[in-house]
Amino acid sequence: MLQLVGFLVIIVTVNGVPVDTDLTSLLNDYNQFVDVLPIDRLFRLTNDYYNADTDFKTFLTYLEGREFSVVWNGILALPAVDDFTKYLANANVPVYDVINIVAAFIGQPSVYLRTAQAFKASRQGGLKGFVKELFSVLPVAQWQQLYAEKMKNSPAFKEFINKLRGFDYVQIKNFYSSSREFRSFVKMFRDYGIDVGSWQNAVKKILGWGNIFEFL
């Protein structure tokens, strides 16, 4: 049975983790990005869609299944992903707890031996509607301002961004090319009317990565 874990909890699991007194620490940067999130609105949005929208519930049911499990485990097994998660963990960012909470939200088994906390309306917009409303709630302008400030003043954050820019995304691209399940997962987003291309272009603009997903 799928556990509806408010996805917002994914990014607030740092609660209870002592904040490094070094103001340039990556954990402190992480906390500042989390602090501007409208947690209550995000929780209500997710629960509204789960309780009222058939497409959204169907998609979450798919995420529980064996086919998506191949995608989930395959990405986590990539050496580049393993290296990056270890980097975040070494910076005291609770990345393994985050991954386990995502796993609980999508009905997949926990991957790491960490504790993951588990957590009722009127939406009928489908998965596309949920994504649209989600992005309208996220504090994008505040994040952009924080990003600019951190790139100037936080060596730890600059190192984090450089780590992302140097991420071997070709491993994900190769996995996408070789995995029917991964291609099916991305196709599902397109079939729901979600603009996967705009996401890919945003990543290219910010991080300099090339194309990951082929367009049919």
Side-chain angles (χ1 to χ4, degrees):
M1 184 76 178
L2 176 69
Q3 295 181 9
L4 179 61
V5 180
F7 76 95
L8 58 135
V9 183
I10 293 169
I11 40 186
V12 296
T13 51
V14 72
N15 287 344
V17 178
V19 177
D20 196 321
T21 55
D22 177 4
L23 295 181
T24 64
S25 74
L26 188 57
L27 177 58
N28 185 69
D29 295 334
Y30 170 89
N31 282 328
Q32 291 186 41
F33 277 89
V34 169
D35 285 345
V36 298
L37 280 168
I39 301 300
D40 291 343
R41 292 178 64 190
L42 292 172
F43 186 74
R44 287 196 302 270
L45 174 63
T46 305
N47 278 331
D48 281 356
Y49 267 86
Y50 181 76
N51 288 325
D53 190 273
T54 301
D55 282 350
F56 188 69
K57 294 181 73 170
T58 299
F59 178 69
L60 292 180
T61 299
Y62 161 80
L63 294 181
E64 287 188 283
R66 187 209 64 81
E67 182 169 301
F68 181 71
S69 182
V70 174
V71 180
W72 174 255
N73 291 313
I75 290 177
L76 290 176
L78 295 174
V81 174
D82 181 61
D83 175 72
F84 189 68
T85 54
K86 287 178 179 176
Y87 159 74
L88 292 175
N90 288 334
N92 294 320
V93 176
V95 59
Y96 297 120
D97 291 327
V98 169
I99 292 173
N100 276 348
I101 289 176
V102 175
F105 176 57
I106 63 178
Q108 294 290 339
S110 296
V111 179
Y112 301 100
L113 298 177
R114 301 289 181 100
T115 57
Q117 296 177 353
F119 288 83
K120 221 177 148 206
S122 58
R123 296 301 206 288
Q124 292 291 331
L127 186 62
K128 182 178 181 180
F130 173 76
V131 171
K132 182 177 180 180
E133 290 192 57
L134 170 62
F135 277 93
S136 72
V137 170
L138 294 176
V140 176
Q142 290 168 284
W143 279 348
Q144 289 174 334
Q145 183 179 356
L146 270 173
Y147 175 87
E149 292 175 358
K150 294 297 180 183
M151 288 299 287
K152 290 181 180 179
N153 303 319
S154 173
F157 187 78
K158 290 178 67 175
E159 180 185 349
F160 164 70
I161 295 299
N162 287 334
K163 183 79 172 179
L164 272 177
R165 289 173 176 167
F167 184 88
D168 186 7
Y169 71 90
V170 175
Q171 292 184 27
I172 299 178
K173 182 176 182 178
N174 291 341
F175 178 50
Y176 174 79
S177 298
S178 64
S179 171
R180 176 190 61 81
E181 292 86 355
F182 195 3
R183 293 194 300 274
S184 176
F185 172 64
V186 175
K187 183 177 181 298
M188 177 177 291
F189 275 93
R190 297 189 186 125
D191 290 346
Y192 276 117
I194 295 174
D195 188 1
V196 178
S198 66
W199 294 0
Q200 180 167 253
N201 290 335
V203 172
K204 289 172 63 176
K205 181 178 180 180
I206 296 171
L207 300 178
W209 296 3
N211 290 337
I212 295 176
F213 308 125
E214 299 172 1
F215 292 92
L216 304 178

